[in-house]
Amino acid sequence: MKNMLTEADVKQAMTDSGVTADVSNLGSEQAFSEYGLDSLDLFNLFVELEGKTGVTVPDEDLDKLKSIDDVLVYFNKS
């Protein structure tokens, strides 16, 4: 059984990937764009998460991942 990704894991990956915004106050349902993350921030986040989990996000799925909740559902699906 694989380890499930948590909200804290996503926030840590955001920090590790160089997101400069204070992610501690980012709500799990809040859209990344509302919080000021741009496409480069998101690209770096997904590269970081892929490295941690081994899950690759195809380009066509990137637009579906708009919040921490979306990321958790995507990365934790079986």
Side-chain angles (χ1 to χ4, degrees), residues 4 6 10 14-15 22 36-38 40 47-48 52 64:
M4 299 292 283
T6 66
V10 175
M14 292 171 82
T15 301
D22 177 12
L37 277 68
D38 62 21
L40 181 59
V47 168
E48 184 72 26
K52 289 178 185 269
K64 299 174 188 172

Side-chain angles (χ1 to χ4, degrees), residues 2-6 55 71-78:
K2 68 178 182 175
N3 289 334
M4 299 292 283
L5 199 62
T6 66
V55 175
V71 170
L72 292 175
V73 168
Y74 189 90
F75 277 84
N76 290 330
K77 69 182 178 187
S78 356

Side-chain angles (χ1 to χ4, degrees), residues 6-18:
T6 66
E7 181 177 339
D9 294 332
V10 175
K11 288 181 176 182
Q12 184 61 52
M14 292 171 82
T15 301
D16 293 347
S17 69

Side-chain angles (χ1 to χ4, degrees), residues 23-44:
V23 299
S24 62
N25 294 323
L26 178 62
S28 63
E29 296 177 3
Q30 186 175 7
F32 293 132
S33 60
E34 290 176 22
Y35 204 66
L37 277 68
D38 62 21
S39 58
L40 181 59
D41 289 328
L42 295 178
F43 173 80
N44 290 335

